[in-house]
Amino acid sequence: MAEFDLAIIGAGPAGMAAAVVAEKAGLRVALLDEQQRPGGQIYRDVSRASADRVRVLGADYSYGAGLTTALAESGVQHIHGAVVWAVEDGFRLSYTANGTAAQVSAQRVLIATGALERPMPLPGWTLPGVMTAGAAQILLKGSGVLPQRAVLAGSGPLIYLVAAQMVRAGVPPLALVETQTRGDLSRALRHLPGALRGWRGLAKGLGLIRELRRAGVKRFTGADRLTVEGTDKAEALCFRAGGEDHRIACETVLLHHGVVPNTQVARSIGVSHRWSSAQQAFTPVLEAWGGTDRPGLFIAGDGAGIGGAMVAELSGRLAALKLAEEAGHLSISERDRRAAPLLRARSRELAIRPFLDAAYPPYPGALRPDNDTLICRCEEVTAGEIRQTAALGCLGPNQAKSLTRAGMGPCQGRYCGLTVTSLLSETTGQSPDETGYYRIRPPLKPVTLAELAAMAETGATDPEGE
Amino acid sequence: MPADSPFVALSHPERLVPVQVDGKELMLPEGENLAASLLAAGVRSFRETPVSGAPRAPFCMMGACFDCLVEIDGIQRQACMLSVTEGMDITRPRGATHG
């Protein structure tokens, strides 16, 4: 089994930045990532993006090429196309790459698995043609593919960014159906003075909104009762806004109402998580450098709490400094000297978050879906079935899972877990922390017997051999 | 690009290779993401669910939702995590009612 001082899971901004800092400090670093090329979802395929694609995606995207270049020039062992399906104490990581299971061992582990789109269950959200706004961006970044008759629905700055990129690409969205209200905006205003420290981010957001207005993209705000119509594919988005019912015929509906930490790996190894009411999601309990309650196990990036790409990169560097110091490659004073400017920059980058969280809250209709709405996409379980189990005395998600099969399908609760917790919590009156979350166990992603059989002590466990 | 695809591609692929989808030949861009290429080629439904037989297509494009599962060489795999290779033999999983 190949041995490393540090194994990092995820090659997004946090993982790439941490890997380079730690390797430069003298650690032997393995960086395992599911994709073929580094970048994570935010900088996906940036190392091979054409000039045309960069023009559409913008400077915040091409910035990521600096990170991928630094990674390529480093001595970090980047194991690409590696799906990590188990992390065990010690630490031992099991993964599949190129149809073969393999393992690496490491003294320390940094989880940098980023975020998932917040589940947005509404009637019709499982129909072909309904995707996340993040999925549309991945199609654009990785493949230069865009939906041509699309509606964007939900809330948050990502909706403006995706819409602006579609405008630049010459296929503007038919409309933006935004669920945030005037009330949300006025409640957010008290956070504005603090947010002004992050004025660059605010200016970018306003710039995007201006770009959409110039392009004549129709916007609805305060939208409610969102429903996707269609029998075997999405045909229209229906909603209520401004006291009127609307129906927009379309072929693609792009949903987004924020992203949430991807906690699968951390939960599988027993890291404690707490409910964040500001982010309306569970976040891992961490000390200032990103360390968990398990010695040697760190988390950086959006998986530690949503902060965006720049915060992720800075947090990755900070975690790497601490990890290098713990491994004896950096003195405490050198660690702190190098950390000081990073901490200042991170605090500036985070200044805008309270304003954004308040101005663009999740769509309430998807946090508490109607009884008929499917909330578990894999096993096709409705919100009503979860409420019913709660009414029968079911207190926690694991019992609800046994009773309804919600969370038992291949996605392992990634797109229903938060909904199940909030539905149980709503019915029982218990807090999300009291209600808890699914117990996550390995394998974190499906692994076939053939892939396991191919894992021998020789060859397959050596990432050099792939 | 079929006129009836809800998706457009910004640039023209360098090399198209034949793949089979349920026994029908499609020309897809070699080395590109399989899920994206199938969408751009006008494939609307990737599978039927085992529970109700409902049609599904890519939802997250990042390996998390498993809605883009297709069968390749007898194994269900996530189309969004694969690249197009020449001669790929793809079967769209049918719902439970089809056995």
Side-chain angles (χ1 to χ4, degrees):
Chain A
M1 195 187 314
E3 288 175 23
F4 295 91
D5 297 316
L6 172 65
I8 301 176
I9 310 171
M16 290 190 292
V20 171
V21 169
E23 196 268 339
K24 279 213 174 93
L27 278 74
R28 290 168 302 156
V29 181
L31 175 60
L32 295 95
D33 188 67
E34 292 186 345
Q35 299 298 329
Q36 294 303 329
R37 287 166 292 275
Q41 304 308 332
I42 192 83
Y43 303 130
R44 184 139 165 181
D45 279 329
V46 69
S47 56
R48 62 162 199 171
S50 65
D52 258 10
R53 217 171 278 179
V54 164
R55 179 189 63 80
V56 168
L57 287 161
D60 284 348
Y61 170 71
S62 54
Y63 167 86
L67 292 170
T68 57
T69 303
L71 176 66
E73 289 169 356
S74 75
V76 171
Q77 169 105 44
H78 176 208
I79 309 174
H80 55 83
V83 177
V84 175
W85 45 265
V87 178
E88 292 163 277
D89 267 327
F91 293 91
R92 186 169 60 172
L93 281 70
S94 304
Y95 65 95
T96 305
N98 297 322
T100 301
Q103 294 181 318
V104 293
S105 75
Q107 299 294 313
R108 293 173 175 79
V109 168
L110 174 67
I111 301 170
T113 50
L116 294 170
E117 290 266 355
R118 180 189 299 281
M120 196 165 161
L122 44 87
W125 77 308
T126 53
L127 287 168
V130 182
M131 311 179 92
T132 66
Q137 271 213 314
I138 292 166
L139 284 173
L140 175 57
K141 291 170 184 169
S143 312
V145 166
L146 281 155
Q148 31 186 350
R149 287 167 45 78
V151 176
L152 283 146
S155 74
L158 181 71
I159 286 195
Y160 303 137
L161 178 60
V162 174
Q165 289 168 341
M166 291 171 74
V167 166
R168 290 173 212 156
V171 278
L174 299 174
L176 268 56
V177 177
E178 300 176 46
T179 54
Q180 81 283 351
T181 62
R182 276 180 192 283
D184 295 325
L185 185 61
S186 55
R187 271 186 296 278
L189 287 179
R190 70 190 170 90
H191 298 293
L192 194 56
L196 288 174
R197 285 180 59 226
W199 62 270
R200 279 192 187 85
L202 286 176
K204 272 181 202 162
L206 291 171
L208 290 174
I209 292 171
R210 268 198 306 274
E211 197 175 341
L212 297 175
R213 192 182 307 141
R214 272 200 308 272
V217 176
K218 200 157 174 50
R219 283 179 62 199
F220 299 87
T221 54
D224 194 13
R225 298 190 214 167
L226 274 62
T227 301
V228 182
E229 264 186 20
T231 46
D232 57 355
K233 57 184 190 291
E235 286 163 14
L237 179 72
C238 302
F239 58 98
R240 195 165 172 80
E244 282 176 45
D245 291 322
H246 299 267
R247 182 183 188 278
I248 303 177
C250 60
E251 290 177 318
T252 303
V253 179
L254 302 174
L255 301 177
H256 172 81
H257 64 155
V259 295
V260 295
N262 177 0
T263 59
Q264 300 291 114
V265 174
R267 284 184 183 280
S268 77
I269 195 164
V271 171
S272 311
H273 286 72
R274 272 200 213 115
W275 183 256
S276 157
S277 50
Q279 299 201 343
Q280 292 282 300
F282 286 104
T283 54
V285 179
L286 303 173
E287 49 81 44
W289 299 94
T292 67
D293 44 13
R294 310 294 287 266
L297 182 67
F298 283 65
I299 307 177
D302 273 352
I306 303 306
M310 293 310 293
V311 172
E313 180 186 334
L314 292 161
S315 300
R317 292 189 201 287
L318 286 161
L321 290 175
K322 171 70 170 160
L323 285 157
E325 176 263 302
E326 279 188 6
H329 289 269
L330 217 57
S331 70
I332 288 182
S333 60
E334 177 64 5
R335 177 198 76 187
D336 291 348
R337 188 188 65 76
R338 290 176 58 183
L342 303 176
L343 286 165
R344 278 195 300 274
R346 186 168 68 172
S347 151
R348 237 182 355 257
E349 291 290 339
L350 281 169
I352 196 175
R353 298 307 311 186
F355 173 79
L356 291 181
D357 288 340
Y360 298 103
Y363 168 49
L367 294 182
R368 288 171 294 279
D370 291 342
N371 279 341
D372 292 340
T373 304
L374 288 180
I375 58 104
C376 168
R377 301 174 62 90
C378 299
E379 295 292 334
E380 298 179 68
V381 180
T382 64
E385 288 173 76
I386 302 297
R387 289 195 177 100
Q388 210 173 0
T389 63
L392 289 170
C394 168
L395 295 176
N398 293 299
Q399 204 179 5
K401 184 179 182 177
S402 318
L403 292 168
T404 66
R405 294 193 60 86
M408 230 179 250
C411 99
Q412 300 183 336
R414 286 172 176 86
Y415 284 101
C416 72
L418 286 174
T419 313
V420 168
T421 295
S422 72
L423 286 172
L424 291 175
S425 163
E426 161 210 297
T427 314
T428 62
Q430 290 191 323
S431 70
D433 277 323
E434 288 165 327
T435 306
Y437 195 80
Y438 292 137
R439 235 180 337 268
I440 305 299
R441 295 192 185 88
L444 297 163
K445 292 261 174 104
V447 52
T448 66
L449 286 173
E451 287 162 348
L452 280 177
M455 177 167 73
E457 269 307 309
T458 55
T461 53
D462 177 6
E464 303 276 8
E466 64 166 29
Chain B
M1 197 69 49
D4 58 350
S5 171
F7 293 87
V8 283
L10 287 183
S11 50
H12 292 287
E14 282 171 18
R15 195 172 116 88
L16 294 172
V17 292
V19 305
Q20 300 284 319
V21 179
D22 288 336
K24 218 181 91 189
E25 190 174 283
L26 273 184
M27 297 299 288
L28 299 183
E30 186 176 38
E32 293 297 324
N33 184 279
L34 176 62
S37 304
L38 289 171
L39 287 174
V43 175
R44 302 294 298 261
S45 168
F46 279 45
R47 67 179 182 114
E48 291 172 2
T49 60
V51 179
S52 73
R56 290 290 170 87
F59 177 70
C60 81
M61 283 303 295
M62 53 185 270
C65 78
F66 291 78
D67 262 326
C68 67
L69 286 174
V70 291
E71 197 175 301
I72 297 171
D73 298 331
I75 298 168
Q76 291 202 6
R77 302 183 64 188
Q78 294 167 288
C80 76
M81 300 296 285
L82 296 173
S83 305
V84 173
T85 56
E86 187 165 352
M88 247 178 175
D89 193 359
I90 301 160
T91 310
R92 290 184 285 185
R94 309 288 300 271
T97 48
H98 297 89

